[in-house]
Amino acid sequence: NNYTGIKKSAFKHTGGLFTGDYPAFQDTAFADHYLTRRDTPHPKSLYLSNQFYLPSFMVSLNSKNAFALKWKIRTLFNVDGVTNNLAALISSKLDYPSLFSLKLHNENLSIQTMSWAEYAATDGHVFIDDGEKFLKAGATLKLLQGLQAAYMKVNNLNYEFTTDTTLSLFNTTVSYGHSTNFDINQDELQYKYVSNPSLGFDLGVVYEWRPDHEKYRYDMDGETNLYRRDKNKYKLRIGLSLLDVGKVKFKKAERSRDFVADINYWDISKIEVDNIEHFDDTLLTRFKTIPSDPTFKMRLPTTLSAQID
Protein backbone atom coordinates (compact mmCIF):
# COMPACT_ATOMS: atom_id res chain seq x y z
CA ASN A 1 0.00 0.00 0.00
CA ASN A 2 1.08 3.60 -0.45
CA TYR A 3 -0.58 5.09 2.64
CA THR A 4 0.37 3.31 5.86
CA GLY A 5 3.89 2.28 6.88
CA ILE A 6 5.49 0.78 9.96
CA LYS A 7 8.46 2.22 11.86
CA LYS A 8 11.66 0.18 12.09
CA SER A 9 11.56 0.53 15.87
CA ALA A 10 8.56 -1.83 15.92
CA PHE A 11 10.92 -4.71 15.09
CA LYS A 12 13.27 -4.30 18.03
CA HIS A 13 13.28 -7.61 19.90
CA THR A 14 14.67 -9.26 22.99
CA GLY A 15 16.46 -12.01 21.13
CA GLY A 16 13.66 -14.47 20.45
CA LEU A 17 11.59 -15.16 17.35
CA PHE A 18 8.06 -15.06 18.76
CA THR A 19 5.56 -12.22 19.05
CA GLY A 20 6.16 -11.93 22.79
CA ASP A 21 9.82 -11.10 22.10
CA TYR A 22 8.80 -7.91 20.25
CA PRO A 23 7.62 -5.38 22.89
CA ALA A 24 6.06 -3.09 20.28
CA PHE A 25 3.48 -5.71 19.34
CA GLN A 26 2.29 -5.86 22.96
CA ASP A 27 1.58 -2.11 22.91
CA THR A 28 -2.19 -1.50 23.05
CA ALA A 29 -1.60 1.82 21.23
CA PHE A 30 0.49 0.17 18.51
CA ALA A 31 -1.12 2.15 15.66
CA ASP A 32 -0.42 5.52 17.31
CA HIS A 33 3.15 4.69 18.29
CA TYR A 34 4.46 2.62 15.40
CA LEU A 35 2.42 3.28 12.25
CA THR A 36 3.02 6.20 9.92
CA ARG A 37 0.60 7.67 7.36
CA ARG A 38 1.48 9.37 4.11
CA ASP A 39 -0.77 12.39 3.68
CA THR A 40 -0.35 13.31 0.02
CA PRO A 41 -2.81 14.38 -2.69
CA HIS A 42 -2.14 11.20 -4.68
CA PRO A 43 -4.77 8.41 -4.66
CA LYS A 44 -4.14 5.59 -2.20
CA SER A 45 -4.01 1.93 -3.22
CA LEU A 46 -3.81 -1.45 -1.54
CA TYR A 47 -2.84 -4.70 -3.24
CA LEU A 48 -2.75 -8.10 -1.60
CA SER A 49 -2.15 -11.45 -3.31
CA ASN A 50 -1.06 -14.99 -2.59
CA GLN A 51 -0.42 -18.24 -4.43
CA PHE A 52 -0.54 -21.81 -3.16
CA TYR A 53 1.46 -24.21 -5.28
CA LEU A 54 -0.04 -27.67 -5.39
CA PRO A 55 1.81 -30.70 -6.84
CA SER A 56 3.73 -29.49 -9.90
CA PHE A 57 6.79 -30.62 -11.83
CA MET A 58 9.16 -29.91 -14.73
CA VAL A 59 10.96 -32.40 -16.96
CA SER A 60 13.96 -31.63 -19.19
CA LEU A 61 13.31 -33.56 -22.39
CA ASN A 62 16.77 -32.86 -23.82
CA SER A 63 19.33 -30.03 -23.85
CA LYS A 64 16.95 -27.73 -25.74
CA ASN A 65 13.47 -28.58 -24.51
CA ALA A 66 11.62 -28.74 -21.20
CA PHE A 67 8.01 -29.36 -20.24
CA ALA A 68 6.15 -28.52 -17.02
CA LEU A 69 2.74 -29.06 -15.43
CA LYS A 70 1.67 -26.62 -12.69
CA TRP A 71 -1.32 -26.41 -10.36
CA LYS A 72 -2.00 -23.33 -8.22
CA ILE A 73 -4.73 -21.72 -6.13
CA ARG A 74 -4.52 -17.92 -6.19
CA THR A 75 -6.25 -15.01 -4.46
CA LEU A 76 -6.01 -11.26 -4.94
CA PHE A 77 -7.56 -8.25 -3.24
CA ASN A 78 -7.18 -4.75 -4.67
CA VAL A 79 -8.38 -1.29 -3.64
CA ASP A 80 -7.68 1.72 -5.87
CA GLY A 81 -8.49 5.42 -6.03
CA VAL A 82 -8.90 6.22 -2.32
CA THR A 83 -8.49 9.95 -1.65
CA ASN A 84 -6.47 11.19 1.30
CA ASN A 85 -9.68 12.30 3.06
CA LEU A 86 -11.34 8.91 2.74
CA ALA A 87 -8.14 7.13 3.78
CA ALA A 88 -7.93 9.33 6.90
CA LEU A 89 -11.54 8.57 7.81
CA ILE A 90 -11.07 4.82 7.37
CA SER A 91 -7.80 4.66 9.31
CA SER A 92 -9.32 6.61 12.21
CA LYS A 93 -12.47 4.43 12.28
CA LEU A 94 -14.48 7.45 11.04
CA ASP A 95 -13.58 9.48 14.15
CA TYR A 96 -12.00 12.43 12.33
CA PRO A 97 -13.86 15.63 13.42
CA SER A 98 -11.96 18.00 11.12
CA LEU A 99 -13.67 16.28 8.14
CA PHE A 100 -17.17 16.35 9.62
CA SER A 101 -19.92 18.42 7.95
CA LEU A 102 -17.92 18.77 4.74
CA LYS A 103 -19.18 17.62 1.36
CA LEU A 104 -16.37 15.35 0.12
CA HIS A 105 -15.71 13.83 -3.29
CA ASN A 106 -13.82 10.70 -4.40
CA GLU A 107 -13.29 9.81 -8.06
CA ASN A 108 -12.67 6.33 -9.44
CA LEU A 109 -12.91 4.31 -6.25
CA SER A 110 -12.77 0.56 -6.82
CA ILE A 111 -12.55 -2.59 -4.73
CA GLN A 112 -12.19 -6.08 -6.17
CA THR A 113 -11.22 -9.56 -5.07
CA MET A 114 -11.00 -12.95 -6.77
CA SER A 115 -9.83 -16.48 -6.01
CA TRP A 116 -9.23 -18.99 -8.78
CA ALA A 117 -7.52 -22.26 -9.65
CA GLU A 118 -4.96 -22.60 -12.44
CA TYR A 119 -3.99 -25.79 -14.27
CA ALA A 120 -1.07 -24.94 -16.53
CA ALA A 121 1.17 -26.60 -19.11
CA THR A 122 4.48 -24.92 -19.98
CA ASP A 123 6.82 -25.59 -22.89
CA GLY A 124 10.32 -24.08 -23.03
CA HIS A 125 12.71 -24.22 -25.97
CA VAL A 126 16.26 -23.05 -26.74
CA PHE A 127 16.15 -21.36 -30.17
CA ILE A 128 19.74 -20.11 -30.45
CA ASP A 129 22.86 -21.54 -28.78
CA ASP A 130 25.90 -20.76 -30.95
CA GLY A 131 28.33 -20.12 -28.13
CA GLU A 132 28.31 -16.34 -27.80
CA LYS A 133 24.58 -15.89 -28.37
CA PHE A 134 21.87 -17.74 -26.49
CA LEU A 135 18.11 -17.30 -26.82
CA LYS A 136 15.35 -19.28 -25.13
CA ALA A 137 11.60 -18.76 -24.82
CA GLY A 138 8.66 -20.34 -23.07
CA ALA A 139 4.87 -20.30 -23.19
CA THR A 140 2.30 -21.39 -20.64
CA LEU A 141 -1.31 -22.24 -21.43
CA LYS A 142 -3.58 -22.11 -18.37
CA LEU A 143 -7.02 -23.51 -17.65
CA LEU A 144 -8.75 -21.12 -15.23
CA GLN A 145 -11.62 -21.93 -12.87
CA GLY A 146 -13.13 -19.25 -10.66
CA LEU A 147 -13.67 -19.93 -6.95
CA GLN A 148 -15.08 -16.60 -5.74
CA ALA A 149 -15.14 -12.95 -6.75
CA ALA A 150 -16.62 -9.59 -5.75
CA TYR A 151 -16.31 -5.98 -6.86
CA MET A 152 -17.57 -2.47 -6.11
CA LYS A 153 -16.81 0.50 -8.36
CA VAL A 154 -17.83 4.15 -7.88
CA ASN A 155 -16.87 6.70 -10.53
CA ASN A 156 -17.98 9.69 -8.46
CA LEU A 157 -18.53 9.22 -4.75
CA ASN A 158 -20.15 12.24 -3.08
CA TYR A 159 -20.53 11.96 0.67
CA GLU A 160 -20.57 13.77 4.01
CA PHE A 161 -20.04 12.61 7.59
CA THR A 162 -21.88 14.71 10.14
CA THR A 163 -20.55 12.53 12.96
CA ASP A 164 -18.65 9.25 13.04
CA THR A 165 -22.02 7.44 12.86
CA THR A 166 -24.01 9.71 10.53
CA LEU A 167 -23.42 9.50 6.79
CA SER A 168 -25.03 11.24 3.82
CA LEU A 169 -24.57 10.07 0.22
CA PHE A 170 -25.48 12.27 -2.74
CA ASN A 171 -26.65 10.82 -6.06
CA THR A 172 -23.81 8.30 -6.29
CA THR A 173 -24.05 5.43 -8.82
CA VAL A 174 -22.37 2.23 -7.64
CA SER A 175 -21.51 -0.86 -9.70
CA TYR A 176 -21.64 -3.81 -7.34
CA GLY A 177 -21.61 -7.58 -7.65
CA HIS A 178 -20.28 -10.83 -6.28
CA SER A 179 -20.29 -14.51 -7.14
CA THR A 180 -23.03 -16.80 -5.89
CA ASN A 181 -20.82 -18.32 -3.18
CA PHE A 182 -19.06 -15.20 -1.91
CA ASP A 183 -19.07 -14.60 1.87
CA ILE A 184 -17.41 -11.86 3.90
CA ASN A 185 -17.07 -14.25 6.85
CA GLN A 186 -13.54 -15.44 6.17
CA ASP A 187 -13.78 -18.13 8.87
CA GLU A 188 -16.42 -20.04 6.92
CA LEU A 189 -15.12 -19.88 3.36
CA GLN A 190 -16.12 -22.89 1.30
CA TYR A 191 -14.49 -22.54 -2.09
CA LYS A 192 -16.02 -24.37 -5.02
CA TYR A 193 -15.94 -23.88 -8.75
CA VAL A 194 -18.54 -21.26 -9.65
CA SER A 195 -17.45 -20.35 -13.19
CA ASN A 196 -17.09 -22.10 -16.50
CA PRO A 197 -13.47 -22.91 -17.40
CA SER A 198 -11.60 -20.26 -19.40
CA LEU A 199 -8.10 -19.92 -20.85
CA GLY A 200 -5.15 -17.74 -19.96
CA PHE A 201 -1.49 -17.64 -20.91
CA ASP A 202 2.04 -16.48 -20.05
CA LEU A 203 4.89 -15.73 -22.48
CA GLY A 204 8.58 -15.16 -21.79
CA VAL A 205 11.88 -14.80 -23.63
CA VAL A 206 15.50 -14.59 -22.40
CA TYR A 207 18.59 -13.51 -24.36
CA GLU A 208 22.15 -14.05 -23.04
CA TRP A 209 25.44 -12.68 -24.38
CA ARG A 210 28.24 -15.13 -23.58
CA PRO A 211 31.61 -13.80 -24.81
CA ASP A 212 33.55 -16.11 -22.46
CA HIS A 213 31.53 -19.26 -23.12
CA GLU A 214 34.66 -21.37 -23.83
CA LYS A 215 35.63 -21.11 -20.15
CA TYR A 216 32.66 -23.33 -19.29
CA ARG A 217 33.48 -26.29 -21.56
CA TYR A 218 35.15 -29.49 -20.39
CA ASP A 219 35.96 -33.10 -21.37
CA MET A 220 35.08 -36.14 -19.23
CA ASP A 221 34.59 -39.90 -19.62
CA GLY A 222 35.49 -39.89 -23.29
CA GLU A 223 33.09 -37.05 -24.14
CA THR A 224 34.39 -33.68 -25.30
CA ASN A 225 33.15 -30.11 -25.46
CA LEU A 226 30.62 -30.56 -22.61
CA TYR A 227 28.97 -27.47 -21.09
CA ARG A 228 28.92 -26.62 -17.38
CA ARG A 229 25.14 -26.61 -16.91
CA ASP A 230 25.47 -25.60 -13.25
CA LYS A 231 27.07 -22.21 -14.03
CA ASN A 232 25.77 -18.93 -15.40
CA LYS A 233 27.81 -18.19 -18.52
CA TYR A 234 26.60 -14.74 -19.52
CA LYS A 235 28.06 -11.25 -19.25
CA LEU A 236 24.67 -9.74 -20.13
CA ARG A 237 21.21 -11.22 -19.73
CA ILE A 238 17.94 -9.60 -20.87
CA GLY A 239 14.47 -11.00 -20.23
CA LEU A 240 10.94 -9.98 -21.16
CA SER A 241 7.72 -11.65 -20.00
CA LEU A 242 3.99 -11.10 -20.26
CA LEU A 243 2.18 -12.85 -17.42
CA ASP A 244 -1.42 -13.60 -16.44
CA VAL A 245 -3.31 -12.74 -19.60
CA GLY A 246 -6.92 -13.91 -19.32
CA LYS A 247 -10.22 -13.41 -17.53
CA VAL A 248 -12.80 -15.42 -15.61
CA LYS A 249 -16.56 -15.08 -16.03
CA PHE A 250 -18.82 -15.38 -12.97
CA LYS A 251 -22.57 -15.52 -12.49
CA LYS A 252 -23.69 -12.63 -10.29
CA ALA A 253 -25.57 -13.48 -7.08
CA GLU A 254 -29.23 -12.48 -7.43
CA ARG A 255 -29.24 -9.88 -4.65
CA SER A 256 -25.98 -8.18 -5.64
CA ARG A 257 -27.03 -5.35 -7.95
CA ASP A 258 -25.94 -1.94 -9.16
CA PHE A 259 -27.61 0.88 -7.25
CA VAL A 260 -27.87 4.64 -6.74
CA ALA A 261 -26.95 5.87 -3.24
CA ASP A 262 -28.85 9.03 -2.29
CA ILE A 263 -29.60 9.29 1.43
CA ASN A 264 -29.37 11.95 4.13
CA TYR A 265 -28.21 11.49 7.73
CA TRP A 266 -28.02 7.72 7.63
CA ASP A 267 -27.36 6.28 11.09
CA ILE A 268 -24.75 3.65 10.24
CA SER A 269 -24.23 2.67 13.89
CA LYS A 270 -27.30 0.45 13.65
CA ILE A 271 -25.95 -1.57 10.73
CA GLU A 272 -25.16 -5.18 11.64
CA VAL A 273 -23.43 -7.12 8.92
CA ASP A 274 -22.57 -10.71 9.80
CA ASN A 275 -22.53 -12.11 6.27
CA ILE A 276 -22.90 -11.11 2.66
CA GLU A 277 -26.67 -11.65 2.72
CA HIS A 278 -27.03 -9.02 5.46
CA PHE A 279 -24.86 -6.62 3.47
CA ASP A 280 -26.92 -7.15 0.30
CA ASP A 281 -30.18 -6.69 2.23
CA THR A 282 -28.91 -3.43 3.70
CA LEU A 283 -28.16 -2.07 0.23
CA LEU A 284 -31.47 -3.27 -1.23
CA THR A 285 -33.59 -1.72 1.52
CA ARG A 286 -31.76 1.62 1.51
CA PHE A 287 -30.99 2.32 -2.14
CA LYS A 288 -32.64 2.23 -5.56
CA THR A 289 -31.31 -0.65 -7.66
CA ILE A 290 -30.72 -0.31 -11.39
CA PRO A 291 -30.63 -3.03 -14.09
CA SER A 292 -27.27 -4.73 -14.62
CA ASP A 293 -25.83 -7.74 -16.40
CA PRO A 294 -26.45 -11.07 -14.60
CA THR A 295 -22.77 -12.02 -15.17
CA PHE A 296 -19.46 -10.25 -14.73
CA LYS A 297 -15.84 -10.83 -15.78
CA MET A 298 -12.71 -10.49 -13.67
CA ARG A 299 -9.38 -10.05 -15.42
CA LEU A 300 -6.20 -11.68 -14.18
CA PRO A 301 -3.52 -9.30 -12.80
CA THR A 302 -1.74 -8.98 -16.14
CA THR A 303 1.91 -8.00 -15.73
CA LEU A 304 4.60 -6.94 -18.21
CA SER A 305 8.04 -7.61 -16.73
CA ALA A 306 11.49 -6.68 -18.07
CA GLN A 307 14.78 -7.79 -16.52
CA ILE A 308 18.44 -7.00 -17.17
CA ASP A 309 21.47 -8.45 -15.42
Side-chain angles (χ1 to χ4, degrees), residues 44 54 105 107 120 131 140 176 179 186 195 202 204 219 242 272-273 277 282 289 295:
K44 307 300 183 289
L54 296 160
H105 180 71
E107 289 187 1
T140 297
Y176 168 65
S179 57
Q186 299 297 305
S195 73
D202 302 333
D219 301 334
L242 180 64
E272 294 185 8
V273 177
E277 287 80 11
T282 298
T289 60
T295 63

Side-chain angles (χ1 to χ4, degrees), residues 15-132:
L17 297 175
F18 301 99
T19 305
D21 296 306
Y22 292 80
F25 290 93
Q26 311 307 311
D27 189 342
T28 55
F30 179 86
D32 294 330
H33 294 161
Y34 295 101
L35 295 185
T36 61
R37 294 186 177 92
R38 181 178 293 171
D39 294 320
T40 66
H42 304 295
K44 307 300 183 289
S45 299
L46 169 68
Y47 183 82
L48 184 71
S49 68
N50 62 41
Q51 309 184 46
F52 292 98
Y53 264 94
L54 296 160
S56 306
F57 65 90
M58 185 185 78
V59 175
S60 294
L61 304 177
N62 51 46
S63 63
K64 289 193 174 184
N65 294 279
F67 178 77
L69 290 177
K70 296 178 287 185
W71 178 19
K72 291 189 287 187
I73 303 293
R74 301 177 59 183
T75 297
L76 66 82
F77 176 76
N78 188 207
V79 181
D80 278 318
V82 180
T83 63
N84 200 70
N85 287 336
L86 184 56
L89 284 163
I90 293 171
S91 63
S92 62
K93 299 180 181 178
L94 306 182
D95 188 13
Y96 207 95
S98 63
L99 293 177
F100 290 167
S101 300
L102 297 175
K103 285 189 169 67
L104 302 174
H105 180 71
N106 197 124
E107 289 187 1
N108 301 321
L109 174 66
S110 66
I111 305 169
Q112 50 267 324
T113 182
M114 177 170 67
S115 297
W116 71 100
E118 288 184 358
Y119 309 93
T122 298
D123 181 63
H125 180 71
V126 175
F127 288 92
I128 299 174
D129 186 3
D130 63 3
E132 185 172 325

